[in-house]
Amino acid sequence: MYLNSIFADPERTAKLIEIAKNSLQPLLEGAIMNTIPLTIISFIVGIILAILTALARISSVKIFQIIARVYVSAIRGTPLLVQLFIIFYGLPNIGIILDPFISAVIGFSLSVGAYTSEIIRAAILSIPKGQWEAGYSIGMTYSQALKRIILPQAAKVSIPPLSNSFISLVKDTSLASVVLVTEMFRRAQEITAANYEFLLVYSEAALIYWVICFFLSIIQGFMEKRLDRYVS
């Protein structure tokens, strides 16, 4: 019915085409200026946090294990949207006021760190114990064996699921709109507030998200072939 009303009215069709054209530039600007940088920065910080958390989980130090478990449980057990609201709207109540972009980076990094720490932990534990023993037999310390032998092999195993996490993060950044980050979805909201063409503009934003994720999927496939998932 919606499509019929469009095609039956040439003036409305021309108007929608014009809106789509005018919306494309601000949507792409939102993606380039905020969505993509927010994704990359949050993922890098999140991966660093994930590695530390994974190492804490497999550590023999009990307090490190407890802290890591509580962190992972708290982040995985609460909605990301709620976490963003606490960081941006809740922390000012105790005198901590953060920039919207920084708030989003913190929220997404904590989320990435918690979820991907389990991926990294599983990848590390999947490496045969003989690899550790081989490192120790030639005089390596724990940290040297971890850095030179275990982590490189674990990286190969974890690339596919980590790539999926990165692609999911691209879509999750749309939640940054609730903390006033002018990423792509926030731009779409601003545009629809002026013209009320929700279906058209949101569909256009969805198409851009899909194109970005499609190209990331191609890169993921290339990386999997290059790195080879088999670990001897």
Side-chain angles (χ1 to χ4, degrees):
M1 194 174 203
Y2 179 79
L3 293 177
N4 290 337
S5 66
I6 293 175
F7 293 124
D9 187 349
E11 290 186 6
R12 176 162 172 73
T13 302
K15 178 184 176 183
L16 290 176
I17 292 174
E18 187 66 23
I19 291 174
K21 289 180 179 178
N22 293 336
S23 301
L24 183 59
Q25 181 178 342
L27 289 176
L28 289 176
E29 287 179 353
I32 295 171
M33 299 301 294
N34 282 301
T35 298
I36 294 175
L38 179 59
T39 302
I40 294 173
I41 295 171
S42 298
F43 192 75
I44 292 174
V45 175
I47 287 297
I48 295 172
L49 186 57
I51 293 173
L52 295 175
T53 304
L55 294 177
R57 288 289 302 273
I58 63 176
S59 170
S60 59
V61 182
K62 200 70 176 178
I63 186 64
F64 289 167
Q65 294 181 19
I66 294 173
I67 293 173
R69 285 178 179 273
V70 171
Y71 158 62
V72 172
S73 177
I75 297 299
R76 295 177 67 184
T78 55
L80 177 55
L81 184 61
V82 174
Q83 296 164 19
L84 290 172
F85 267 75
I86 291 174
I87 293 169
F88 186 70
Y89 297 106
L91 291 182
N93 288 343
I94 57 175
I96 303 175
I97 301 174
L98 299 172
D99 176 81
F101 189 87
I102 299 299
S103 299
V105 167
I106 293 173
F108 292 128
S109 297
L110 289 173
S111 179
V112 170
Y115 282 95
T116 59
S117 68
E118 293 299 286
I119 295 173
I120 295 173
R121 183 175 70 92
I124 293 174
L125 294 177
S126 71
I127 306 302
K129 290 184 178 179
Q131 298 291 317
W132 289 98
E133 294 170 358
Y136 296 149
S137 68
I138 59 175
M140 285 187 177
T141 63
Y142 174 86
S143 60
Q144 289 174 331
L146 180 69
K147 182 173 66 175
R148 299 180 183 179
I149 298 176
I150 305 303
L151 287 182
Q153 295 184 69
K156 293 181 180 181
V157 177
S158 60
I159 283 296
L162 288 179
S163 299
N164 289 331
S165 297
F166 184 78
I167 293 173
S168 295
L169 181 59
V170 173
K171 296 175 289 183
D172 289 343
T173 56
S174 60
L175 293 174
S177 61
V178 301
V179 294
L180 309 181
V181 177
T182 53
E183 43 70 62
M184 183 166 60
F185 188 65
R186 179 73 179 182
R187 292 290 180 92
Q189 290 177 316
E190 293 171 351
I191 294 169
T192 55
N195 57 37
Y196 296 98
E197 292 294 345
F198 300 100
L199 180 59
L200 173 66
V201 178
Y202 288 158
S203 296
E204 191 174 7
L207 178 62
I208 297 173
Y209 277 116
W210 177 75
V211 170
I212 294 173
C213 292
F214 176 76
F215 281 108
L216 288 175
S217 298
I218 294 175
I219 296 172
Q220 176 186 3
F222 176 76
M223 290 176 63
E224 288 182 18
K225 290 180 181 179
R226 289 278 295 181
L227 292 174
D228 186 9
R229 296 177 64 181
Y230 176 77
V231 179
S232 59

